[in-house]
Amino acid sequence: MGISIGMVGLGSFGSAFAPLFKAHPLVDRIAFCDCEPERVAKFANDPFFSDKFNPRDAFTSLDEICRCDLDALVIITQPWLHAPQCIQAMESEKTVYSAVPLSCLPDGEEVLEWCDRIIETSKRTGKEYMLGETTCFRPQAMFCRRKALAGEFGDFVYAEGEYMHDVDSACCLREVQRQRTESRIGSEWPAREEAYFRRGKLASPMNYPTHSVSGPIFCMGTRARKVAAFGWKNRTADSYFRTSEFSNVTALYELANGASMRVAEMREMAGQLSTLENETFRLFGTRGSFSENTWYYNGRTNENDAIRPPQTQHYSDAELFDPLPPEVHDAFLELQNIQSGDLQNRDFVPAGHGGSHPYLVHEFVTCVATGRRPLVNAWEAGHYMAMGVAADISARHDGELTPVQDWGYAPEL
C-alpha cells in the first residue's frame, strides 16, 4: 500500500513538482490545494492525474487540507508562509515538505524564532520536516557526499559555496518578483515588506542563504561556528534594492570540523555565468578535492604514500548522480516521455535545478513511506538559515566575528 500526499501551492514551482509526486510508484493518492480555485481545477481536470486523484481531494485552504486524512503535505507557497504553514501541517499529524527557504524575512531574530519553532514542533509531534533544498540533491552533492562518507576527502581544510544570481540574469529576479506579487497571496507581501522597512529591518541576499551554504555543510556533515562577513550596497538607486541593506554579501565561516568556508550570495554583478559557476560549491581535503565536476585525489595519509602524480578525473553530471531504484527510474522516464511527446526515448535525464527535482521527490516520498528522517531535516534546515542570519549581523557590524546559532544534529529515531 502506498502513501497519500497533498500539494499545497500550485503556482509555477508547485506545478513543476506535482507530476513528479504523482508519478512516483509509492504514491497512491494525490490531493491539490490552492487559494485560487482555477489552479486546483487545472490539475483536477488533467487526465494524467485521474488514476490517483479523487474530486473530493480538491481544497482551497490549508485548514481544509490539514483536516483531510493524508499522510503528508508538500508546501510550495510564498516564502514567508513556509514556516507557519509547515508547523500547522505537523500539528495536524502530517509529515511535511517545504520549498526553500524555511523562512524568508528581513528580520533575523524572527527567522531564528521560526527555525526554533519548526524544530520544537517536529520533536513534539513526532512528525518530520524536510526542506526541499535543491543544492543538496544536485549531482555534485551526491558525488561529494559519497566520497565524504567513504573518507576519501581525508580531513576537510577549505570549502566554498556561491549563488551568483544577478537581478537581471536569465532567470530575472525582477520578473520573479512581479509574478509573485501578482498572485492573490503574493500581493500581500509589498505591504508586509514596507512594514519591516519602516522598522529598520532591511533585506539582504543572506535572508535566503540556502543555495550557497547548504552544499558544503551537507556534504561535510558539519556545522558553522563563527562568521565574519561584508556586504555591498547598491549604488545606483535601483528600485529593486530599495528595501535592501545589501545586494551582495561575502562571508568567511569557521567550521566545527576545523575547515574554513567562504560563501558568496550575489544579486548585483555583471555576466551570465555558466551553470557550474552561478550556483556551485567546492570542497578541498587533505586526500581529495572536488571543483567543477572534477575530482582530484592524492590518497595521502603520510608523506611517503601520496599518489604521484595525483589522480584527476572529470565527470559529466550523469556520472555523478546516485542511481534511482529501477521502478522509480522507469516511472520518471515515462513521465518525461509523456511531457516531451517522445514515447520511445529510453534515456531519463533528471531535470529542474541541476536535475535535483526527481531526487527531492524520491527522498521525501521514501521518508514518508518508511518513517526515515529526511537528510535535510528541521535541524539541518534551521542551521542553514542561522548561517545567513549570523552573516547579516556580521556584515552590518563591519565584519565583526559573530557566532552562528546551532541546534545540533537531528536525534536518531
Side-chain angles (χ1 to χ4, degrees):
M1 183 176 177
I3 65 168
S4 55
I5 281 183
M7 303 294 303
V8 181
L10 298 171
S12 58
F13 204 42
S15 296
F17 276 91
L20 286 165
F21 277 104
K22 184 270 179 185
H24 198 287
L26 288 178
V27 174
D28 281 351
R29 174 185 167 199
I30 191 164
F32 301 115
C33 177
D34 197 287
C35 66
E36 300 186 33
E38 62 273 18
R39 291 181 175 179
V40 177
K42 171 187 172 183
F43 290 92
N45 297 327
D46 187 337
F48 174 75
F49 294 95
S50 61
D51 59 327
K52 295 185 180 182
F53 171 74
N54 188 298
R56 71 173 184 272
D57 288 332
F59 305 94
T60 55
S61 76
L62 184 64
D63 289 344
E64 290 176 343
I65 199 168
C66 279
R67 289 193 293 267
C68 187
D69 62 338
L70 297 164
D71 297 315
L73 295 183
V74 175
I75 293 180
I76 307 180
T77 56
Q78 298 290 355
W80 68 91
L81 295 175
H82 292 167
Q85 290 182 336
C86 287
I87 288 170
Q88 182 175 346
M90 286 188 283
E91 289 181 337
S92 68
E93 301 184 349
K94 293 170 177 58
T95 304
V96 66
Y97 171 108
S98 167
V100 287
L102 181 152
S103 179
C104 189
L105 299 167
D107 185 337
E109 291 183 2
E110 186 177 349
V111 168
L112 294 179
E113 289 173 2
W114 282 119
C115 293
D116 193 68
R117 289 184 61 185
I118 285 279
I119 293 168
E120 185 277 329
T121 305
S122 182
K123 289 193 295 186
R124 172 170 48 82
T125 63
K127 293 300 176 181
E128 297 297 332
Y129 167 94
M130 175 178 163
L131 180 71
E133 176 45 58
T134 56
T135 301
C136 299
F137 291 87
R138 285 176 176 264
Q140 294 77 16
M142 296 181 194
F143 177 87
C144 286
R145 190 167 184 273
R146 293 196 301 268
K147 291 292 189 183
L149 291 172
E152 294 189 51
F153 279 98
D155 291 322
F156 289 104
V157 296
Y158 177 65
E160 296 177 345
E162 297 177 355
Y163 187 47
M164 316 292 275
H165 194 156
D166 181 72
V167 66
D168 291 313
S169 62
C171 178
C172 180
L173 295 179
R174 299 183 203 275
E175 181 63 16
V176 170
Q177 183 184 64
R178 183 191 66 77
Q179 292 181 1
R180 177 171 290 161
T181 55
E182 283 183 348
S183 69
R184 176 178 162 187
I185 296 298
S187 64
E188 299 173 1
W189 175 247
R192 293 192 59 172
E193 183 181 40
E194 190 65 25
Y196 281 111
F197 180 70
R198 288 196 301 269
R199 291 198 292 119
K201 303 297 182 180
L202 303 181
S204 157
M206 283 294 180
N207 296 156
Y208 189 160
T210 58
H211 291 331
S212 60
V213 304
S214 64
I217 296 297
F218 177 74
C219 293
M220 290 187 287
T222 191
R223 292 288 185 259
R225 287 178 171 170
K226 303 173 184 175
V227 62
F230 297 89
W232 168 270
K233 297 185 179 184
N234 170 260
R235 301 178 180 182
T236 63
D238 189 325
S239 61
Y240 183 87
F241 298 111
R242 186 185 72 84
T243 59
S244 297
E245 179 81 10
F246 305 115
S247 53
N248 301 325
V249 177
T250 305
L252 183 65
Y253 293 89
E254 175 194 280
L255 305 183
N257 64 3
S260 54
M261 181 172 96
R262 179 189 62 80
V263 162
E265 281 281 350
M266 304 285 181
R267 303 294 181 270
E268 189 179 13
M269 28 74 70
Q272 181 60 50
L273 304 181
S274 70
T275 301
L276 282 177
E277 292 177 304
N278 68 357
E279 187 173 340
T280 190
F281 66 88
R282 291 169 284 278
L283 294 176
F284 298 87
T286 55
R287 300 182 70 189
S289 297
F290 181 84
S291 176
E292 297 191 356
N293 282 29
T294 302
W295 172 246
Y296 304 90
Y297 189 67
N298 64 26
R300 182 178 60 226
T301 57
N302 61 60
E303 62 181 290
N304 298 315
D305 68 354
I307 298 171
R308 297 185 176 88
Q311 298 173 355
T312 301
Q313 186 168 358
H314 186 79
Y315 294 88
S316 67
D317 283 2
E319 294 171 314
L320 297 175
F321 279 113
D322 287 340
L324 288 164
E327 66 277 12
V328 177
H329 172 278
D330 292 348
F332 287 160
L333 172 63
E334 181 180 2
L335 170 62
Q336 172 189 284
N337 291 351
I338 290 172
Q339 291 177 327
S340 69
D342 181 4
L343 300 182
Q344 303 304 313
N345 183 25
R346 302 305 304 167
D347 183 20
F348 173 57
V349 181
H353 287 83
S356 63
H357 289 192
Y359 286 90
L360 286 164
V361 168
H362 180 60
E363 167 73 2
F364 185 63
V365 169
T366 53
C367 287
V368 176
T370 65
R372 174 173 64 82
R373 176 156 282 154
L375 293 173
V376 188
N377 50 64
W379 288 260
E380 191 78 7
H383 191 67
Y384 299 161
M385 297 308 301
M387 291 176 69
V389 171
D392 263 344
I393 293 171
S394 175
R396 288 178 172 122
H397 291 84
D398 198 27
E400 179 180 299
L401 195 60
T402 303
V404 179
Q405 182 164 338
D406 182 17
W407 292 268
Y409 298 92
E412 294 185 7
L413 293 175

